[in-house]
Amino acid sequence: MTRYILLKLVLLSLLAWACNTKPKFETKWIYTSETLGTNSSPQCVDLNRDGILDIVLGSGLKEFEACPTGILAFDGATGKILWQVPSSDQVVGSANFLDVTGDGVPEVFIGGRGQTLKCLNGIDGNTVWEFKASTETPVQACCLQYNFYNAQFIPDQDGDQLQDVLVSNGGNAKARPNAEKDRYPGVLAVFASRTGKLLAVDTIPDGKETYMSPVVHDFDSDGKLSVIIGTGGETLGGNLFRVSLDSLMAGNISSARKLATVIEKGFIGPPTLVDINGDQVKDIVINSFSGKMMAIDGKRNAIIWERQVGTTESYCSVTPGYFNDDDIPDFFSTFSKGAWPDNKGSIQLALDGKDGSVLYADSLGCFGYASGVSYDVNNDGFDEVFTTVNDFECNPPGFAAGTILDSDQISLRCFDVHNRKTITITKPQAAKNVSTTPWIGDLDSDGKLDVVYAIQRNNFEVDKFRGMQVIRLSSNVSFTVPTWGAYMGNDRTGVFEKKPIHHAGQ
């Protein structure tokens, strides 16, 4: 046997071993609070300059109640708190990061209920600026008064050489379900990233509320940015709009293009932008709250395909991944059976990005609003999807009263769409997760995949918290850039860039 043949056999053996090595995950650290909870999703950045990514998470107590630790920054190495910041209400948004102080450490931009919008110094959490309500203009007086969602950065608008901040605001939580009373138009606003000065603002043209984080993109590669924003809610219809950033900066977005309409319910989860028809222009893939996933051509603004998922609802953003043998990204999402607030179960569904046909369906657990993240965990050339599954009685007699059952459990699962099976990453435990999306990546640059996720003490009163844990898992899984590594993607923009695909055997 020649040396070449022997070397080839050794390499093939090593490749086979690598492909068949079972992924293993173990707990690196756990942070536990006896009082807090969270509907925020973890986002990661190095704040203490030790070369290890740290974690920022919004939290809170009961809705409408001030919290002394509404925003938390955790040391990625140990799980210890680096700093914590009070809030006037639950901080449900997820952080974004931009260095505006020039100290080399990004500041934290995060929003939530009760008009919470803060820019915090990344090193110590001190306030750089925060939103202050005003009645200076009619829009500010009537409508810029509610929840702030996830911030996006846009090119410099005020001439200070720093990107500025686009954010949406809306959703009066005190309005009664199915009632038009006390509903106020959703708002798009632009703030100076360094000072917090309001640079532009207008209400969304249909006059309906919004609960959606905006997504910004230059669809035509001409330097002209568009904003995708949706309106409506759980019990009232809404629309999906494409808004010119230029028109927003001029203070008038009445010319916004309507891309889709849902009569009975609105759009809540932000879209994912990805080219699925090969024309080099990003398309818009989104769930309506009415349980329909739709793909909209980013060039022609027309529906490419749509799929109604029975009688379901979805708060989730769509997770892209490569699940079949072609090079077109596919999509995964979770849908809740029934109608809010009386949901009866969950459906996990993967659709072919080419035509919206069903690749995989499952129905594990009861309701849960967390989106998924995607990564090729088993090194077979196809992505799997990480998300949490709540296992509990789907029709608890005391849901509104917070009935707790011994059988109520949660586990972190990995959906292997291509092989049509699930992998349990963590053993079930007595907890829940309503809407926190995991983060996956390599926190400590050791070449292995890490997972950060949050769970809550077992209580199903959706407006209250009774304790939570933030957990970091390490693994033996070799790290490459995740397909979709966090809520709204690897860079938190909602925009997905295709990557070369090498399926097993190719």
Side-chain angles (χ1 to χ4, degrees), residues 111 117 144 147-152 165-169 187-191 212 214 248:
L117 180 64
L144 196 59
N147 308 325
F148 279 101
Y149 303 105
N150 295 356
Q152 295 292 334
V165 180
L166 170 74
V167 68
S168 58
N169 180 282
V187 172
L188 285 174
V190 175
F191 294 90
M212 181 184 288
L248 175 59

Side-chain angles (χ1 to χ4, degrees), residues 2-56:
T2 67
R3 181 179 299 178
Y4 169 76
I5 294 174
L6 180 60
L7 179 61
K8 185 175 181 180
L9 288 173
V10 170
L11 290 174
L12 288 173
S13 297
L14 287 173
L15 179 61
W17 175 85
C19 289
N20 292 306
T21 298
K22 184 177 180 179
K24 294 181 181 179
F25 293 83
E26 61 181 23
T27 301
K28 190 77 171 180
W29 53 254
I30 300 176
Y31 163 83
T32 301
S33 168
E34 299 298 327
T35 57
L36 298 174
T38 184
N39 286 321
S40 175
S41 296
Q43 298 289 2
C44 300
V45 68
D46 187 4
L47 297 175
N48 58 6
R49 292 181 276 202
D50 64 353
I52 298 174
L53 299 182
D54 306 304
I55 297 105
V56 179

Side-chain angles (χ1 to χ4, degrees), residues 43 374 439-440 481-493 495-496:
Q43 298 289 2
S374 56
W439 179 95
I440 56 174
V481 176
T483 301
W484 196 251
Y487 187 64
M488 297 186 72
N490 297 349
D491 57 3
R492 301 170 294 278
T493 63
V495 180
F496 175 68

